[in-house]
Amino acid sequence: MAVSKNKALFLKGCLLMSLLLSGCGGQALSEREIVRGVFFTRQQDAFSACLVLADQSSEKDSGGEKISAAQGSTPAQALERAEQALYGDVYYGLLDLAALPSDTDLSMAREIGGLLYENAQPAPELSVFVLDDSVSSWAKEGSVLYQNMKSLEKTYKVHCGLQQLFSQEEVCGIPGYIAGGGYDFLLLPQYGSPVRCHGLVEAQLAAVLCGQTSILKGTFASGRAACEARTQVLAEGEDLQIHLRDTMLTVLDPSFSEEALQSVLEQELQRSFLKLQQQMQCSGEADPFHLRFWQSCQYGPDFDPQPPTLEVIFES
């Protein structure tokens, strides 16, 4: 007897829901330890791993989390010990955030990334941040760190996936968490020291050029004005153009001239772009913004790359 199309879809939906509720392993999620975040820090030769877990005993939609943390001589050992401190089986199917130590370089980022791929097998939506400093107490700060980083990702629409640690051969860009609000942006070259882009204009510009966000949002003019705009980056000859659309410029200091907003933002973006290029010159052949690629497409592979300038175009 043939099964109707609607009934077949219903049966498939029921099967999928049962797999999700059981964690695909026959054990209900309510009996498992559901990991939402995995954070790492390092102090000298010791690593600390923190698991931020869903607190299933809390009220529904309360957003409660609980913490399990441990130390080890390697990230793998610290993670294993944090898992062993739990009563139930660990479930990583809902993991959506990982944080790396503040002194991360590309080698360490890939080591921890490989560890998560092997043990956690996270979903593609997993986001990666770099912490700004060592954490004094996971019990007090772990849940707050998780909530703050998720809020940053939502506010600034910035996202670095775990796969990007491996797909970028020469250099990888990762958002850097700041406890006081906002975020920095780190460029981790394969050869050379990490570069931290400070300030929201510089950090957001770097994230835009790395393809990790499509909006420009933050304060500028020493905090006297704010900007929010959709962005599009185009190569024009040897230079770059950043198009700002649906731009909202807001005066935060009454003494600041509203007429000067566009010109001041344009100058800050161009200065930030120049600074980013100068910082990356110390990192060998690293090309995080694909500038040489664009120039090669325009003029051919034998073209001698020239330092590009940034043109800021405000569109109505």
Side-chain angles (χ1 to χ4, degrees), residues 36 74 106 129 189 223 280:
R36 302 306 306 272
T74 65
L106 188 56
F129 278 81
M280 293 313 301

Side-chain angles (χ1 to χ4, degrees), residues 221-242:
S222 300
R224 293 181 293 168
C227 166
E228 183 171 356
R230 294 189 299 113
T231 65
Q232 182 180 17
V233 179
L234 299 174
E236 183 64 28
E238 300 176 16
D239 301 320
L240 289 182
Q241 293 180 346
I242 180 169

Side-chain angles (χ1 to χ4, degrees), residues 32-96:
R32 292 190 172 199
E33 301 285 4
I34 302 174
V35 182
R36 302 306 306 272
V38 180
F39 305 155
F40 293 91
T41 61
R42 180 173 70 168
Q43 292 181 332
Q44 297 179 346
D45 296 330
F47 286 87
S48 177
C50 169
L51 299 177
V52 180
L53 306 119
D55 187 355
Q56 301 191 73
S57 64
S58 63
E59 294 182 5
K60 186 177 180 181
D61 300 327
S62 65
E65 290 92 24
K66 60 181 183 179
I67 300 299
S68 178
Q71 290 187 335
S73 58
T74 65
Q77 186 180 66
L79 181 62
E80 181 181 11
R81 289 176 175 176
E83 292 175 345
Q84 291 173 346
L86 296 167
Y87 291 105
D89 292 336
V90 178
Y91 178 69
Y92 284 102
L94 298 178
L95 176 65
D96 59 10

Side-chain angles (χ1 to χ4, degrees), residues 127-193:
S127 298
V128 180
F129 278 81
V130 174
L131 294 175
D132 64 341
D133 206 346
S134 296
V135 180
S136 58
S137 170
W138 287 124
K140 295 180 180 179
E141 302 175 51
S143 180
V144 174
L145 286 171
Y146 175 83
Q147 296 293 344
N148 287 352
M149 279 184 270
K150 295 301 293 183
S151 178
L152 283 175
E153 184 180 28
K154 181 178 180 180
T155 299
Y156 297 103
K157 304 294 189 295
V158 62
H159 175 78
C160 174
L162 193 62
Q163 71 279 1
Q164 290 174 262
L165 303 182
F166 305 94
S167 61
Q168 304 294 330
E169 294 184 2
E170 298 177 346
V171 61
C172 179
I174 306 177
Y177 173 77
I178 301 178
Y183 73 97
D184 286 344
F185 197 82
L186 283 87
L187 296 168
L188 308 181
Q190 187 171 4
Y191 306 105
S193 301

